[in-house]
Amino acid sequence: MASLSKFGRTALVSAALLLTVATGACSRPATQSTADSAGSGPLRIAVGIDASYAPFFVADQEGMFDAAGLDVELVQFGRGGEAVDALSTGQVQIAGSSDTTTIAQLRQNPSLRAMYSYEASGDYIKVVLRNGVDSPAAIKKMGIVPGLSQISTDKYLAANSIAPGSVEMISATPTDMPALLSRGDIDGFVLWEPWPATALDQGTGHVVAVTGDYGWFYHHWAITTAPWLSANEETARTVAKVLDEATRKVESDPGVAASATKAAVNVSEDQTIAAVDEIDFAVVNLEAADVESAQSIVDFYKSIGVLSDQPDLESAMLLDWYKDGAQ
């Protein structure tokens, strides 16, 4: 429902490289082998553990996947990079992932394919500073999660004319950030909910901005791999139809989204209702403007050494895929 428009470095490089090697440390582990999930059994979809994945939880809890003839298992991961890794190794067949995380992984897996966007926001990701740190100029250390949090932090500092090398970047998991903030190990972080709310509840931090304040809007893509999509395109399009219906339900009835998200990942209903107000949930085709936005992410990763070669965005991003086949 949110209003939306398009849109030292050495430490950052080390942090970002963690994204490409993360395994399942924060995931809720799979119950089937890679071989089994790749060839038989349920369709396994990787999701996160926060309210931004509400459409998946609603589709699961409300029986929408079942009604569409799909046997779906949602597999939860604490970090987007882990979900993309699971996709690359065949543990899952579809994943919900931010555009920044997906693009970083193209170096390791050029067969990744983004089919469509299912959410976007400039309000859901928030800049939290420790109490007593009242301006960007006072920041000495920032906590980052490689990927979306990392680039959102970089853009915040740049928007406030903070030299990149003047702030130390501390890489950690989202769940670590409130504790690091309370101990004074970091001066702030840029993350999605519920971690900003957790810091506020602890009384150790305050929100000073959302990413839209400095012109940065994230997107979540539904992604898969080219080999799986080639063999299962009808199934992929059915999932898109279900998510289309689920995003509409989330927008029209936040209470249903709140109940489903609490049941799936134990996020409070109030947090999910607030998230629905901050996120635009909708299944939308990728278009040429999205490629331009993705290129800005590539340029960032090149600037910190995570990407050395230009990825093939035109192959990775399936423009107008959903409109052509599912609507």
Side-chain angles (χ1 to χ4, degrees):
M1 294 182 183
S3 174
L4 181 70
S5 64
K6 288 285 186 184
F7 31 144
R9 294 283 180 179
T10 302
L12 274 174
V13 172
S14 298
L17 287 175
L18 290 174
L19 180 64
T20 64
V21 298
T23 54
C26 296
S27 67
R28 301 184 187 187
T31 56
Q32 288 184 297
S33 71
T34 299
D36 288 344
S37 65
S40 62
L43 169 65
R44 310 188 81 223
I45 300 178
V47 297
I49 55 174
D50 65 89
S52 68
Y53 291 88
F56 294 92
F57 304 142
V58 167
D60 188 42
Q61 297 282 331
E62 295 287 300
M64 293 181 182
F65 290 125
D66 291 339
L70 296 171
D71 180 12
V72 168
E73 179 184 352
L74 300 182
V75 184
Q76 298 169 12
F77 291 87
R79 291 169 60 162
E82 296 162 359
V84 181
D85 283 339
L87 183 67
S88 301
T89 58
Q91 279 184 286
V92 299
Q93 290 76 53
I94 294 175
S97 176
S98 73
D99 44 7
T100 56
T101 297
T102 303
I103 289 168
Q105 295 287 63
L106 285 174
R107 180 182 66 174
Q108 300 291 338
N109 188 355
S111 75
L112 292 175
R113 295 292 181 265
M115 297 175 284
Y116 47 86
S117 169
Y118 61 86
E119 73 176 63
S121 179
D123 296 313
Y124 188 58
I125 298 177
K126 301 175 178 71
V127 182
V128 176
L129 297 184
R130 181 167 50 83
N131 291 340
V133 180
D134 297 320
S135 71
I139 297 171
K140 301 302 180 186
K141 297 180 180 181
M142 286 291 281
I144 61 165
V145 179
L148 182 55
S149 164
Q150 177 188 15
I151 192 171
S152 299
T153 302
D154 182 86
K155 289 184 177 292
Y156 171 70
L157 296 175
N160 287 280
S161 302
I162 305 299
S166 67
V167 176
E168 182 181 357
M169 301 296 171
I170 309 297
S171 181
T173 68
T175 54
D176 292 331
M177 295 301 181
L180 292 173
L181 195 73
S182 67
R183 294 200 303 263
D185 293 339
I186 58 175
D187 295 322
F189 59 79
V190 186
L191 276 178
W192 45 90
E193 294 291 359
W195 313 117
T198 300
L200 267 62
D201 289 344
Q202 291 178 171
T204 56
H206 57 291
V207 174
V208 298
V210 295
T211 61
D213 292 338
Y214 50 95
W216 173 241
F217 300 86
Y218 83 86
H219 298 78
H220 265 203
W221 292 343
I223 62 174
T224 186
T225 62
W228 185 86
L229 183 60
S230 177
N232 299 275
E233 187 152 349
E234 183 177 352
T235 297
R237 294 194 186 281
T238 302
V239 172
K241 290 179 183 178
V242 171
L243 283 181
D244 193 357
E245 179 185 358
T247 57
R248 295 174 195 273
K249 191 166 187 103
V250 167
E251 289 283 322
S252 66
D253 193 346
V256 170
S259 177
T261 303
K262 181 173 177 58
V265 291
N266 201 31
V267 170
S268 76
E269 295 190 7
D270 287 346
Q271 284 186 12
T272 298
I273 290 173
V276 173
D277 189 52
E278 295 170 341
I279 300 172
D280 282 338
F281 289 103
V283 171
V284 178
N285 275 308
L286 300 178
E287 300 176 346
D290 297 293
V291 179
E292 294 177 12
S293 178
Q295 184 60 50
S296 74
I297 298 170
V298 170
D299 294 341
F300 167 74
Y301 281 133
K302 282 185 173 181
S303 74
I304 63 171
V306 171
L307 290 175
S308 55
D309 299 322
Q310 172 67 37
D312 185 358
L313 295 177
E314 292 188 4
S315 294
M317 301 173 67
L318 306 180
L319 305 189
D320 294 325
W321 178 85
Y322 177 60
K323 179 180 66 180
D324 288 347
Q327 290 180 319

